[in-house]
PDB file of all heavy atoms in Angstrom:
ATOM      1  N   ALA A 183     -10.559 -14.523 -15.259  1.00 96.00           N
ATOM      2  CA  ALA A 183      -9.243 -15.163 -15.200  1.00 96.00           C
ATOM      3  C   ALA A 183      -9.355 -16.599 -14.690  1.00 96.00           C
ATOM      4  O   ALA A 183      -8.717 -17.506 -15.229  1.00 96.00           O
ATOM      5  CB  ALA A 183      -8.299 -14.355 -14.315  1.00 96.00           C
ATOM      6  N   ALA A 184     -10.161 -16.801 -13.652  1.00 95.00           N
ATOM      7  CA  ALA A 184     -10.334 -18.155 -13.115  1.00 95.00           C
ATOM      8  C   ALA A 184     -11.009 -19.065 -14.136  1.00 95.00           C
ATOM      9  O   ALA A 184     -10.589 -20.218 -14.325  1.00 95.00           O
ATOM     10  CB  ALA A 184     -11.157 -18.104 -11.830  1.00 95.00           C
ATOM     11  N   ALA A 185     -12.035 -18.566 -14.795  1.00 95.00           N
ATOM     12  CA  ALA A 185     -12.740 -19.376 -15.787  1.00 95.00           C
ATOM     13  C   ALA A 185     -11.816 -19.746 -16.942  1.00 95.00           C
ATOM     14  O   ALA A 185     -11.822 -20.898 -17.404  1.00 95.00           O
ATOM     15  CB  ALA A 185     -13.964 -18.619 -16.306  1.00 95.00           C
ATOM     16  N   TYR A 186     -11.030 -18.808 -17.397  1.00 95.00           N
ATOM     17  CA  TYR A 186     -10.110 -19.083 -18.504  1.00 95.00           C
ATOM     18  C   TYR A 186      -9.031 -20.085 -18.082  1.00 95.00           C
ATOM     19  O   TYR A 186      -8.718 -21.023 -18.811  1.00 95.00           O
ATOM     20  CB  TYR A 186      -9.470 -17.779 -18.979  1.00 95.00           C
ATOM     21  CG  TYR A 186      -8.542 -17.973 -20.145  1.00 95.00           C
ATOM     22  CD1 TYR A 186      -9.046 -18.091 -21.431  1.00 95.00           C
ATOM     23  CD2 TYR A 186      -7.166 -18.060 -19.957  1.00 95.00           C
ATOM     24  CE1 TYR A 186      -8.214 -18.291 -22.514  1.00 95.00           C
ATOM     25  CE2 TYR A 186      -6.315 -18.254 -21.030  1.00 95.00           C
ATOM     26  CZ  TYR A 186      -6.836 -18.373 -22.304  1.00 95.00           C
ATOM     27  OH  TYR A 186      -5.999 -18.573 -23.361  1.00 95.00           O
ATOM     28  N   ASP A 187      -8.482 -19.890 -16.886  1.00 92.00           N
ATOM     29  CA  ASP A 187      -7.392 -20.745 -16.407  1.00 92.00           C
ATOM     30  C   ASP A 187      -7.869 -22.168 -16.121  1.00 92.00           C
ATOM     31  O   ASP A 187      -7.154 -23.124 -16.384  1.00 92.00           O
ATOM     32  CB  ASP A 187      -6.780 -20.122 -15.156  1.00 92.00           C
ATOM     33  CG  ASP A 187      -5.484 -20.783 -14.728  1.00 92.00           C
ATOM     34  OD1 ASP A 187      -4.825 -21.433 -15.569  1.00 92.00           O
ATOM     35  OD2 ASP A 187      -5.106 -20.645 -13.556  1.00 92.00           O
ATOM     36  N   TRP A 188      -9.058 -22.312 -15.603  1.00 91.00           N
ATOM     37  CA  TRP A 188      -9.529 -23.621 -15.166  1.00 91.00           C
ATOM     38  C   TRP A 188     -10.445 -24.316 -16.169  1.00 91.00           C
ATOM     39  O   TRP A 188     -10.915 -25.429 -15.918  1.00 91.00           O
ATOM     40  CB  TRP A 188     -10.265 -23.489 -13.843  1.00 91.00           C
ATOM     41  CG  TRP A 188      -9.429 -22.984 -12.715  1.00 91.00           C
ATOM     42  CD1 TRP A 188      -8.068 -22.997 -12.627  1.00 91.00           C
ATOM     43  CD2 TRP A 188      -9.892 -22.388 -11.516  1.00 91.00           C
ATOM     44  NE1 TRP A 188      -7.660 -22.441 -11.448  1.00 91.00           N
ATOM     45  CE2 TRP A 188      -8.765 -22.059 -10.738  1.00 91.00           C
ATOM     46  CE3 TRP A 188     -11.152 -22.092 -11.011  1.00 91.00           C
ATOM     47  CZ2 TRP A 188      -8.859 -21.459  -9.490  1.00 91.00           C
ATOM     48  CZ3 TRP A 188     -11.246 -21.488  -9.769  1.00 91.00           C
ATOM     49  CH2 TRP A 188     -10.108 -21.184  -9.024  1.00 91.00           C
ATOM     50  N   SER A 189     -10.725 -23.708 -17.301  1.00 90.00           N
ATOM     51  CA  SER A 189     -11.720 -24.250 -18.230  1.00 90.00           C
ATOM     52  C   SER A 189     -11.316 -25.572 -18.875  1.00 90.00           C
ATOM     53  O   SER A 189     -12.152 -26.254 -19.457  1.00 90.00           O
ATOM     54  CB  SER A 189     -12.029 -23.230 -19.320  1.00 90.00           C
ATOM     55  OG  SER A 189     -10.865 -22.980 -20.087  1.00 90.00           O
ATOM     56  N   ASP A 190     -10.061 -25.961 -18.767  1.00 88.00           N
ATOM     57  CA  ASP A 190      -9.628 -27.230 -19.358  1.00 88.00           C
ATOM     58  C   ASP A 190      -9.885 -28.427 -18.448  1.00 88.00           C
ATOM     59  O   ASP A 190      -9.541 -29.544 -18.791  1.00 88.00           O
ATOM     60  CB  ASP A 190      -8.150 -27.160 -19.746  1.00 88.00           C
ATOM     61  CG  ASP A 190      -7.241 -26.917 -18.563  1.00 88.00           C
ATOM     62  OD1 ASP A 190      -7.738 -26.560 -17.478  1.00 88.00           O
ATOM     63  OD2 ASP A 190      -6.015 -27.066 -18.730  1.00 88.00           O
ATOM     64  N   ASP A 191     -10.529 -28.206 -17.318  1.00 85.00           N
ATOM     65  CA  ASP A 191     -10.860 -29.283 -16.388  1.00 85.00           C
ATOM     66  C   ASP A 191     -11.985 -30.127 -16.984  1.00 85.00           C
ATOM     67  O   ASP A 191     -13.083 -29.644 -17.229  1.00 85.00           O
ATOM     68  CB  ASP A 191     -11.295 -28.689 -15.047  1.00 85.00           C
ATOM     69  CG  ASP A 191     -11.735 -29.753 -14.069  1.00 85.00           C
ATOM     70  OD1 ASP A 191     -11.171 -30.867 -14.099  1.00 85.00           O
ATOM     71  OD2 ASP A 191     -12.649 -29.475 -13.272  1.00 85.00           O
ATOM     72  N   SER A 192     -11.703 -31.386 -17.230  1.00 84.00           N
ATOM     73  CA  SER A 192     -12.678 -32.252 -17.897  1.00 84.00           C
ATOM     74  C   SER A 192     -13.818 -32.690 -16.983  1.00 84.00           C
ATOM     75  O   SER A 192     -14.855 -33.134 -17.461  1.00 84.00           O
ATOM     76  CB  SER A 192     -11.978 -33.488 -18.466  1.00 84.00           C
ATOM     77  OG  SER A 192     -11.374 -34.221 -17.419  1.00 84.00           O
ATOM     78  N   SER A 193     -13.652 -32.553 -15.676  1.00 86.00           N
ATOM     79  CA  SER A 193     -14.707 -32.986 -14.762  1.00 86.00           C
ATOM     80  C   SER A 193     -15.870 -31.996 -14.707  1.00 86.00           C
ATOM     81  O   SER A 193     -16.957 -32.356 -14.272  1.00 86.00           O
ATOM     82  CB  SER A 193     -14.146 -33.178 -13.352  1.00 86.00           C
ATOM     83  OG  SER A 193     -13.840 -31.925 -12.771  1.00 86.00           O
ATOM     84  N   GLY A 194     -15.637 -30.769 -15.099  1.00 84.00           N
ATOM     85  CA  GLY A 194     -16.679 -29.755 -15.033  1.00 84.00           C
ATOM     86  C   GLY A 194     -16.801 -29.096 -13.673  1.00 84.00           C
ATOM     87  O   GLY A 194     -17.581 -28.171 -13.494  1.00 84.00           O
ATOM     88  N   LEU A 195     -16.028 -29.567 -12.719  1.00 89.00           N
ATOM     89  CA  LEU A 195     -16.096 -28.987 -11.374  1.00 89.00           C
ATOM     90  C   LEU A 195     -15.475 -27.595 -11.296  1.00 89.00           C
ATOM     91  O   LEU A 195     -15.661 -26.896 -10.308  1.00 89.00           O
ATOM     92  CB  LEU A 195     -15.418 -29.917 -10.361  1.00 89.00           C
ATOM     93  CG  LEU A 195     -16.142 -31.226 -10.087  1.00 89.00           C
ATOM     94  CD1 LEU A 195     -15.322 -32.101  -9.148  1.00 89.00           C
ATOM     95  CD2 LEU A 195     -17.509 -30.968  -9.497  1.00 89.00           C
ATOM     96  N   PHE A 196     -14.774 -27.203 -12.344  1.00 91.00           N
ATOM     97  CA  PHE A 196     -14.177 -25.870 -12.324  1.00 91.00           C
ATOM     98  C   PHE A 196     -15.250 -24.789 -12.202  1.00 91.00           C
ATOM     99  O   PHE A 196     -14.987 -23.708 -11.696  1.00 91.00           O
ATOM    100  CB  PHE A 196     -13.320 -25.637 -13.573  1.00 91.00           C
ATOM    101  CG  PHE A 196     -14.091 -25.283 -14.810  1.00 91.00           C
ATOM    102  CD1 PHE A 196     -14.278 -23.956 -15.159  1.00 91.00           C
ATOM    103  CD2 PHE A 196     -14.626 -26.266 -15.625  1.00 91.00           C
ATOM    104  CE1 PHE A 196     -14.986 -23.617 -16.297  1.00 91.00           C
ATOM    105  CE2 PHE A 196     -15.325 -25.946 -16.761  1.00 91.00           C
ATOM    106  CZ  PHE A 196     -15.516 -24.609 -17.101  1.00 91.00           C
ATOM    107  N   VAL A 197     -16.468 -25.090 -12.640  1.00 94.00           N
ATOM    108  CA  VAL A 197     -17.556 -24.116 -12.555  1.00 94.00           C
ATOM    109  C   VAL A 197     -17.831 -23.757 -11.099  1.00 94.00           C
ATOM    110  O   VAL A 197     -18.096 -22.592 -10.773  1.00 94.00           O
ATOM    111  CB  VAL A 197     -18.822 -24.657 -13.244  1.00 94.00           C
ATOM    112  CG1 VAL A 197     -19.991 -23.720 -13.072  1.00 94.00           C
ATOM    113  CG2 VAL A 197     -18.554 -24.929 -14.706  1.00 94.00           C
ATOM    114  N   ILE A 198     -17.744 -24.730 -10.219  1.00 95.00           N
ATOM    115  CA  ILE A 198     -17.940 -24.456  -8.791  1.00 95.00           C
ATOM    116  C   ILE A 198     -16.817 -23.567  -8.271  1.00 95.00           C
ATOM    117  O   ILE A 198     -17.060 -22.608  -7.542  1.00 95.00           O
ATOM    118  CB  ILE A 198     -18.018 -25.774  -7.997  1.00 95.00           C
ATOM    119  CG1 ILE A 198     -19.266 -26.546  -8.416  1.00 95.00           C
ATOM    120  CG2 ILE A 198     -18.023 -25.502  -6.491  1.00 95.00           C
ATOM    121  CD1 ILE A 198     -19.344 -27.944  -7.888  1.00 95.00           C
ATOM    122  N   GLY A 199     -15.593 -23.860  -8.661  1.00 93.00           N
ATOM    123  CA  GLY A 199     -14.462 -23.031  -8.250  1.00 93.00           C
ATOM    124  C   GLY A 199     -14.567 -21.614  -8.767  1.00 93.00           C
ATOM    125  O   GLY A 199     -14.290 -20.644  -8.042  1.00 93.00           O
ATOM    126  N   VAL A 200     -14.989 -21.463 -10.002  1.00 96.00           N
ATOM    127  CA  VAL A 200     -15.158 -20.126 -10.586  1.00 96.00           C
ATOM    128  C   VAL A 200     -16.258 -19.373  -9.833  1.00 96.00           C
ATOM    129  O   VAL A 200     -16.125 -18.179  -9.541  1.00 96.00           O
ATOM    130  CB  VAL A 200     -15.459 -20.219 -12.096  1.00 96.00           C
ATOM    131  CG1 VAL A 200     -15.882 -18.880 -12.665  1.00 96.00           C
ATOM    132  CG2 VAL A 200     -14.252 -20.755 -12.839  1.00 96.00           C
ATOM    133  N   GLY A 201     -17.322 -20.068  -9.508  1.00 97.00           N
ATOM    134  CA  GLY A 201     -18.394 -19.443  -8.723  1.00 97.00           C
ATOM    135  C   GLY A 201     -17.906 -18.990  -7.353  1.00 97.00           C
ATOM    136  O   GLY A 201     -18.276 -17.912  -6.878  1.00 97.00           O
ATOM    137  N   LEU A 202     -17.068 -19.807  -6.729  1.00 97.00           N
ATOM    138  CA  LEU A 202     -16.518 -19.428  -5.429  1.00 97.00           C
ATOM    139  C   LEU A 202     -15.555 -18.252  -5.544  1.00 97.00           C
ATOM    140  O   LEU A 202     -15.507 -17.392  -4.661  1.00 97.00           O
ATOM    141  CB  LEU A 202     -15.837 -20.628  -4.777  1.00 97.00           C
ATOM    142  CG  LEU A 202     -16.784 -21.737  -4.323  1.00 97.00           C
ATOM    143  CD1 LEU A 202     -15.992 -22.954  -3.850  1.00 97.00           C
ATOM    144  CD2 LEU A 202     -17.708 -21.239  -3.227  1.00 97.00           C
ATOM    145  N   VAL A 203     -14.784 -18.196  -6.632  1.00 97.00           N
ATOM    146  CA  VAL A 203     -13.912 -17.039  -6.868  1.00 97.00           C
ATOM    147  C   VAL A 203     -14.763 -15.792  -7.035  1.00 97.00           C
ATOM    148  O   VAL A 203     -14.458 -14.729  -6.474  1.00 97.00           O
ATOM    149  CB  VAL A 203     -12.998 -17.266  -8.094  1.00 97.00           C
ATOM    150  CG1 VAL A 203     -12.348 -15.968  -8.542  1.00 97.00           C
ATOM    151  CG2 VAL A 203     -11.939 -18.305  -7.786  1.00 97.00           C
ATOM    152  N   ALA A 204     -15.839 -15.894  -7.800  1.00 98.00           N
ATOM    153  CA  ALA A 204     -16.725 -14.741  -8.010  1.00 98.00           C
ATOM    154  C   ALA A 204     -17.335 -14.283  -6.691  1.00 98.00           C
ATOM    155  O   ALA A 204     -17.315 -13.079  -6.373  1.00 98.00           O
ATOM    156  CB  ALA A 204     -17.821 -15.098  -9.007  1.00 98.00           C
ATOM    157  N   LEU A 205     -17.851 -15.218  -5.913  1.00 98.00           N
ATOM    158  CA  LEU A 205     -18.469 -14.871  -4.632  1.00 98.00           C
ATOM    159  C   LEU A 205     -17.440 -14.296  -3.655  1.00 98.00           C
ATOM    160  O   LEU A 205     -17.682 -13.277  -3.007  1.00 98.00           O
ATOM    161  CB  LEU A 205     -19.142 -16.108  -4.024  1.00 98.00           C
ATOM    162  CG  LEU A 205     -19.879 -15.898  -2.707  1.00 98.00           C
ATOM    163  CD1 LEU A 205     -21.028 -14.921  -2.894  1.00 98.00           C
ATOM    164  CD2 LEU A 205     -20.376 -17.236  -2.175  1.00 98.00           C
ATOM    165  N   GLY A 206     -16.285 -14.943  -3.572  1.00 97.00           N
ATOM    166  CA  GLY A 206     -15.249 -14.467  -2.656  1.00 97.00           C
ATOM    167  C   GLY A 206     -14.704 -13.107  -3.036  1.00 97.00           C
ATOM    168  O   GLY A 206     -14.477 -12.244  -2.173  1.00 97.00           O
ATOM    169  N   SER A 207     -14.508 -12.862  -4.322  1.00 97.00           N
ATOM    170  CA  SER A 207     -14.001 -11.557  -4.744  1.00 97.00           C
ATOM    171  C   SER A 207     -15.064 -10.477  -4.570  1.00 97.00           C
ATOM    172  O   SER A 207     -14.744  -9.345  -4.222  1.00 97.00           O
ATOM    173  CB  SER A 207     -13.475 -11.597  -6.175  1.00 97.00           C
ATOM    174  OG  SER A 207     -14.483 -11.969  -7.071  1.00 97.00           O
TER     175      SER A 207
END
Side-chain angles (χ1 to χ4, degrees):
Y186 182 80
D187 191 22
W188 298 340
S189 63
D190 61 347
D191 176 33
S192 61
S193 71
L195 291 176
F196 79 95
V197 175
I198 295 170
V200 170
L202 291 173
V203 166
L205 182 62
S207 60

